[in-house]
Amino acid sequence: MSRRSDREDTRAQEDALRAAREEAADVLADLAAEAKALSKAYASRSGRVPDGAALAGLVDAARRAEEAVDLAAHDLATARGEDA
């Protein structure tokens, strides 16, 4: 099998890994923004306790995104024959 056909065989896995990483980066950016907003709200001592549900949801989304990256990386390694 030529090197070119090896690249073609792994293109879908490479694309999936790239997409998973982009999604994870987006979720982590959202998580950072929400954490910053909550931090400012707590620091202002406005008396109103912010709802942390959005933050908790983003933490869960970040965990799922991390799992998706790990799975995509594993699939790519397997397709490349790096994972036995």
Side-chain angles (χ1 to χ4, degrees):
M1 190 178 277
S2 72
R3 184 178 287 276
R4 180 180 174 156
S5 55
D6 286 347
R7 271 186 265 137
E8 291 171 5
D9 289 345
T10 61
R11 186 166 298 153
Q13 290 85 3
E14 289 168 351
D15 290 344
L17 179 56
R18 188 175 307 106
R21 285 178 174 165
E22 289 171 1
E23 176 65 24
D26 290 344
V27 169
L28 289 173
D30 292 345
L31 180 60
E34 185 66 24
K36 186 175 181 178
L38 280 173
S39 176
K40 285 182 181 181
Y42 282 120
S44 73
R45 294 182 174 91
S46 64
R48 180 174 99 52
V49 177
D51 179 14
L55 183 64
L58 286 169
V59 168
D60 287 340
R63 285 186 186 128
R64 288 190 305 273
E66 179 184 17
E67 289 171 1
V69 169
D70 289 345
L71 182 59
H74 175 75
D75 289 347
L76 178 58
T78 299
R80 288 179 173 166
E82 297 170 358
D83 189 66

